[in-house]
Amino acid sequence: GNSVTQMEGPVTLSEEAFLTINCTYTATGYPSLFWYVQYPGEGLQLLLKATKADDKGSNKGFEATYRKETTSFHLEKGSVQVSDSAVYFCALNNNAGNMLTFGGGTRLMVKP
Amino acid sequence: SQTIHQWPATLVQPVGSPLSLECTVEGTSNPNLYWYRQAAGRGLQLLFYSVGIGQISSEVPQNLSASRPQDRQFILSSKKLLLSDSGFYLCAWGAGAFFGQGTRLTVV
């Protein structure tokens, strides 16, 4: 079956620090990969996605590259801000079932 | 543009009471619709999905049910709530490309 594994949080960083949140997956076929962000008290927002191997998704300074050889989709940002504090979810869509499988989420806390 | 509405935003219900959460989408037709639950401090779990009117698939056995009476309406229900039904419920369409704002349900 499909599964997504994320690094456990919380991840605490100072403002302007470099961010990496690891995500690895197990899936049949050729899934699409997603990162979602959930700000406190809100629903999920799509942050970025990649639909095939070696694609790089990017948005708001965040990036993630679809690495099929390592089955990974790590989220990175060069310089985090306090406003980036949120919970980040990695997810995959195996297309055949057309539904998302989520990782457990990683809470990011950025201190000024 | 596509939008998704979910209500209510928060709900406190006693154990044994019924539940009805509603989700509607605009700006699209025949969407795939999904209900997820996020338990406190945990990830998201897919509860139900629907590919069309009257078509419901359940991913996990539970105390909840779902219905799709109209093309762009998806309802999550329970006849008798349990304490373990507490959580944050999210409606989504298009394989999760768009999420509603969520309903925080507390069963007391």
Side-chain angles (χ1 to χ4, degrees), chain B residues 41-78:
Chain B
R42 301 175 64 180
L44 279 80
Q45 180 184 40
L46 178 64
L47 302 176
F48 300 96
Y49 71 95
S50 171
V51 299
I53 295 174
Q55 302 179 62
I56 308 295
S57 296
S58 174
E59 289 297 297
V60 294
Q62 59 209 309
N63 184 43
L64 302 168
S65 62
S67 61
R68 187 159 175 186
Q70 301 180 38
D71 181 45
R72 288 170 284 180
Q73 184 183 32
F74 201 26
I75 298 173
L76 183 69
S77 305
S78 174

Coordinates of all heavy atoms in Angstrom, one line a residue, chain B residues 41-78:
Chain B
G41 N -2.9 16.4 17.3 CA -1.5 16.0 17.2 C -1.1 14.9 16.2 O 0.0 14.4 16.2
R42 N -2.1 14.6 15.3 CA -1.8 13.5 14.4 C -2.0 14.0 13.0 O -2.5 15.1 12.7 CB -2.7 12.3 14.7 CG -2.5 11.8 16.2 CD -3.4 10.7 16.5 NE -3.3 9.5 15.7 CZ -4.0 8.4 15.8 NH1 -5.0 8.4 16.7 NH2 -3.8 7.4 15.0
G43 N -1.7 13.1 12.0 CA -1.9 13.4 10.6 C -3.3 13.3 10.2 O -4.3 13.1 11.0
L44 N -3.5 13.3 8.9 CA -4.9 13.3 8.3 C -5.2 11.8 7.9 O -4.4 11.1 7.3 CB -5.0 14.2 7.1 CG -5.2 15.6 7.4 CD1 -3.9 16.3 7.7 CD2 -5.9 16.3 6.2
Q45 N -6.4 11.5 8.2 CA -6.9 10.2 7.8 C -8.1 10.3 6.9 O -9.1 11.0 7.2 CB -7.3 9.4 9.0 CG -7.9 8.0 8.8 CD -8.3 7.3 10.1 OE1 -9.0 8.0 10.9 NE2 -8.1 6.1 10.2
L46 N -8.1 9.7 5.7 CA -9.2 9.7 4.8 C -10.4 8.9 5.3 O -10.2 7.7 5.7 CB -8.8 9.2 3.4 CG -9.9 9.1 2.4 CD1 -10.4 10.5 2.0 CD2 -9.4 8.4 1.1
L47 N -11.5 9.5 5.4 CA -12.7 8.8 5.9 C -13.6 8.3 4.8 O -14.0 7.1 4.8 CB -13.5 9.8 6.8 CG -12.8 10.3 8.0 CD1 -13.7 11.3 8.8 CD2 -12.4 9.2 9.0
F48 N -14.0 9.2 3.9 CA -14.9 8.9 2.8 C -14.5 9.6 1.6 O -13.9 10.7 1.6 CB -16.3 9.3 3.1 CG -16.9 8.7 4.4 CD1 -16.9 9.3 5.6 CD2 -17.5 7.4 4.3 CE1 -17.4 8.8 6.7 CE2 -18.1 6.8 5.4 CZ -18.0 7.5 6.6
Y49 N -14.8 9.0 0.4 CA -14.7 9.8 -0.8 C -15.8 9.4 -1.7 O -16.5 8.4 -1.6 CB -13.3 9.6 -1.5 CG -13.1 8.2 -2.1 CD1 -13.4 8.0 -3.5 CD2 -12.6 7.2 -1.4 CE1 -13.1 6.7 -4.0 CE2 -12.3 5.9 -1.9 CZ -12.6 5.7 -3.3 OH -12.4 4.5 -3.8
S50 N -16.1 10.4 -2.6 CA -17.3 10.2 -3.5 C -16.9 10.7 -4.9 O -16.4 11.8 -5.1 CB -18.5 11.0 -3.0 OG -19.5 11.0 -3.9
V51 N -17.2 9.9 -5.9 CA -16.9 10.2 -7.3 C -18.2 10.7 -8.0 O -18.1 11.1 -9.2 CB -16.3 9.1 -8.1 CG1 -15.0 8.7 -7.4 CG2 -17.3 7.9 -8.1
G52 N -19.3 10.7 -7.3 CA -20.6 11.2 -8.0 C -21.7 11.1 -7.0 O -21.6 10.5 -5.9
I53 N -22.9 11.6 -7.4 CA -24.1 11.6 -6.6 C -24.4 10.2 -6.2 O -24.5 9.3 -7.0 CB -25.3 12.2 -7.4 CG1 -25.0 13.7 -7.7 CG2 -26.6 12.1 -6.6 CD1 -26.0 14.4 -8.6
G54 N -24.7 10.0 -4.9 CA -25.0 8.8 -4.3 C -23.9 7.7 -4.2 O -24.2 6.6 -3.8
Q55 N -22.7 8.1 -4.7 CA -21.6 7.1 -4.6 C -20.6 7.5 -3.5 O -20.0 8.5 -3.6 CB -20.9 7.2 -6.0 CG -21.7 6.8 -7.2 CD -21.0 6.9 -8.5 OE1 -20.0 6.1 -8.7 NE2 -21.4 7.8 -9.4
I56 N -20.6 6.6 -2.5 CA -19.8 6.8 -1.3 C -18.9 5.6 -1.1 O -19.4 4.5 -1.1 CB -20.6 7.1 -0.1 CG1 -21.7 8.1 -0.3 CG2 -19.7 7.4 1.1 CD1 -21.1 9.5 -0.6
S57 N -17.6 5.9 -0.9 CA -16.7 4.8 -0.5 C -16.1 5.2 0.9 O -15.7 6.3 1.1 CB -15.5 4.7 -1.5 OG -16.0 4.3 -2.8
S58 N -16.1 4.2 1.7 CA -15.6 4.3 3.1 C -14.2 3.7 3.2 O -14.0 2.6 2.8 CB -16.5 3.7 4.1 OG -16.0 3.8 5.4
E59 N -13.3 4.5 3.8 CA -11.9 4.0 3.9 C -11.7 3.3 5.2 O -10.8 2.4 5.3 CB -10.9 5.1 3.8 CG -10.8 5.7 2.4 CD -10.3 4.6 1.4 OE1 -9.1 4.2 1.6 OE2 -11.0 4.2 0.5
V60 N -12.4 3.6 6.3 CA -12.2 3.0 7.6 C -13.5 2.8 8.2 O -14.4 3.6 8.1 CB -11.3 3.9 8.5 CG1 -9.9 4.0 8.0 CG2 -11.9 5.3 8.6
P61 N -13.7 1.7 8.9 CA -14.9 1.4 9.7 C -15.0 2.4 10.8 O -14.0 2.7 11.5 CB -14.8 0.0 10.2 CG -13.3 -0.2 10.2 CD -12.7 0.6 9.1
Q62 N -16.2 3.0 11.1 CA -16.3 4.0 12.1 C -17.8 4.2 12.4 O -18.7 3.7 11.8 CB -15.6 5.2 11.6 CG -16.2 5.8 10.4 CD -15.2 6.5 9.6 OE1 -14.5 7.4 10.1 NE2 -15.0 6.2 8.3
N63 N -17.9 5.2 13.3 CA -19.2 5.6 13.7 C -19.9 6.7 12.8 O -20.9 7.3 13.1 CB -19.1 6.2 15.1 CG -20.4 6.6 15.8 OD1 -21.4 5.8 15.7 ND2 -20.4 7.7 16.4
L64 N -19.3 7.0 11.7 CA -19.7 8.1 10.8 C -20.2 7.5 9.5 O -19.9 6.4 9.1 CB -18.5 9.0 10.6 CG -17.9 9.6 11.8 CD1 -16.6 10.3 11.4 CD2 -18.8 10.6 12.5
S65 N -21.0 8.3 8.8 CA -21.4 8.0 7.5 C -21.4 9.3 6.6 O -21.2 10.4 7.1 CB -22.9 7.5 7.5 OG -23.8 8.4 8.0
A66 N -21.5 9.1 5.3 CA -21.4 10.2 4.4 C -22.5 10.1 3.3 O -22.9 8.9 3.0 CB -20.0 10.4 3.8
S67 N -22.9 11.2 2.8 CA -23.9 11.2 1.7 C -23.6 12.3 0.7 O -23.0 13.3 1.1 CB -25.3 11.3 2.3 OG -25.5 12.6 2.9
R68 N -24.0 12.0 -0.5 CA -23.8 13.0 -1.5 C -25.2 13.2 -2.3 O -25.4 12.6 -3.3 CB -22.7 12.6 -2.5 CG -22.4 13.7 -3.5 CD -21.1 13.5 -4.1 NE -20.8 14.5 -5.1 CZ -19.7 14.4 -5.9 NH1 -18.8 13.5 -5.7 NH2 -19.5 15.4 -6.8
P69 N -26.0 14.1 -1.7 CA -27.3 14.2 -2.3 C -27.3 15.0 -3.6 O -28.3 14.9 -4.4 CB -28.1 14.9 -1.2 CG -27.1 15.7 -0.4 CD -25.8 14.8 -0.5
Q70 N -26.3 15.9 -3.8 CA -26.2 16.7 -5.0 C -24.8 16.7 -5.5 O -23.9 16.3 -4.7 CB -26.7 18.2 -4.7 CG -28.1 18.3 -4.2 CD -28.4 19.8 -3.9 OE1 -28.0 20.7 -4.7 NE2 -29.2 20.0 -2.9
D71 N -24.6 17.1 -6.7 CA -23.3 17.0 -7.4 C -22.2 17.7 -6.6 O -21.1 17.2 -6.5 CB -23.4 17.6 -8.8 CG -22.1 17.5 -9.5 OD1 -21.4 16.4 -9.5 OD2 -21.6 18.4 -10.1
R72 N -22.6 18.8 -6.0 CA -21.5 19.6 -5.3 C -21.8 19.7 -3.8 O -21.3 20.7 -3.2 CB -21.5 21.0 -6.0 CG -20.8 21.0 -7.3 CD -21.0 22.3 -8.1 NE -22.3 22.5 -8.6 CZ -22.7 23.6 -9.3 NH1 -21.8 24.6 -9.5 NH2 -23.9 23.7 -9.7
Q73 N -22.4 18.7 -3.2 CA -22.7 18.7 -1.8 C -22.3 17.4 -1.2 O -22.6 16.3 -1.7 CB -24.2 19.0 -1.6 CG -24.6 19.1 -0.1 CD -26.1 19.3 0.1 OE1 -26.9 18.7 -0.7 NE2 -26.5 20.0 1.1
F74 N -21.6 17.5 -0.1 CA -21.1 16.3 0.5 C -21.3 16.4 2.0 O -20.9 17.4 2.6 CB -19.6 16.1 0.2 CG -19.0 14.7 0.4 CD1 -19.8 13.6 0.3 CD2 -17.7 14.5 0.6 CE1 -19.3 12.3 0.4 CE2 -17.1 13.3 0.7 CZ -18.0 12.2 0.6
I75 N -22.0 15.5 2.6 CA -22.4 15.6 4.0 C -21.8 14.5 4.9 O -21.8 13.3 4.5 CB -23.9 15.6 4.1 CG1 -24.5 16.8 3.4 CG2 -24.4 15.6 5.6 CD1 -26.0 16.8 3.3
L76 N -21.3 14.8 6.0 CA -20.8 13.9 7.0 C -21.7 13.8 8.2 O -22.1 14.8 8.7 CB -19.4 14.3 7.4 CG -18.6 13.3 8.4 CD1 -18.2 12.1 7.7 CD2 -17.4 14.0 9.0
S77 N -22.1 12.6 8.5 CA -23.1 12.5 9.6 C -22.8 11.4 10.6 O -21.9 10.5 10.3 CB -24.5 12.1 8.9 OG -24.9 13.0 8.0
S78 N -23.5 11.5 11.7 CA -23.4 10.4 12.7 C -24.8 10.4 13.4 O -25.4 11.5 13.7 CB -22.3 10.6 13.7 OG -22.4 9.7 14.8

